[in-house]
Amino acid sequence: MKTNRNWKLPKPEETEDGYNWKPVVRVGRTIPFGYKQSEDDKDLLIPIVEELELFEKAKKFIKQYSYREVAAWLSTQSERYISHVGLYKRVKIEQQRKNEASTQRYLAKRYKEALQKAEKLETQRLGYRERVSSSPTEA
């Protein structure tokens, strides 16, 4: 498949919904795209709002374009380099974390329902007894 090398991705539109980005703890050697190291604390990463909003826009472009094209576009728009492999890893990690969180929420809901059913069955079963009084002569 031949691609037109002169074609460029469109400039991102201004996001109206906006995001509330929060600092994160540094866990690896490299600083991820969209963050910078804090001057006060070396283990804290401060968000760069413009880069993170461009990254969110780039994730939408991945559905139509290759990782190389999107990474090149993101690098030119943000003036900070990100490789296509780095972009791929970042997107896949976010998808894995989102899927894991969704699975955990689903399992928590199912366990809660199962617990409610078990408690209901225990109270309605035949032969169920409950101690009414606790006098010393009954023991």
Side-chain angles (χ1 to χ4, degrees):
M1 181 170 128
K2 217 172 195 184
T3 60
N4 184 359
R5 294 187 184 253
N6 296 330
W7 191 88
K8 295 182 181 179
L9 290 171
K11 287 192 172 186
E13 300 170 16
E14 292 293 323
T15 56
E16 295 177 4
D17 51 87
Y19 295 99
N20 187 13
W21 303 102
K22 300 192 185 281
V24 295
V25 177
R26 183 175 180 177
V27 293
R29 184 175 183 179
T30 60
I31 298 172
F33 184 83
Y35 291 92
K36 64 180 178 180
Q37 188 172 359
S38 173
E39 291 86 17
D40 301 334
D41 187 2
K42 300 295 181 191
D43 293 330
L44 190 64
L45 298 175
I46 307 298
I48 303 170
V49 176
E50 297 82 21
E51 288 183 7
L52 290 171
E53 288 178 357
L54 284 172
F55 179 71
E56 291 297 320
K57 185 65 107 175
K59 287 194 298 188
K60 294 176 185 174
F61 288 148
I62 289 174
K63 296 176 184 175
Q64 296 176 329
Y65 307 105
S66 71
Y67 280 96
R68 283 185 192 271
E69 292 172 329
V70 176
W73 173 84
L74 189 56
S75 294
T76 57
Q77 291 295 317
S78 67
E79 299 177 356
R80 182 175 173 186
Y81 178 74
I82 184 169
S83 68
H84 65 283
V85 176
L87 179 63
Y88 175 79
K89 286 181 180 180
R90 177 85 186 268
V91 169
K92 292 301 172 189
I93 287 171
E94 282 189 9
Q95 287 176 351
Q96 288 172 350
R97 289 179 180 163
K98 184 178 177 182
N99 290 342
E100 181 65 25
S102 175
T103 301
Q104 294 299 327
R105 281 192 296 274
Y106 171 74
L107 290 175
K109 179 183 170 190
R110 290 290 306 258
Y111 290 143
K112 184 177 178 182
E113 291 172 359
L115 180 63
Q116 290 172 348
K117 287 181 183 180
E119 289 173 349
K120 182 179 177 184
L121 287 173
E122 284 178 354
T123 58
Q124 294 177 349
R125 69 179 181 185
L126 292 175
Y128 178 74
R129 65 179 185 187
E130 186 174 297
R131 185 169 287 207
V132 178
S133 64
S134 58
S135 63
T137 57
E138 290 183 24

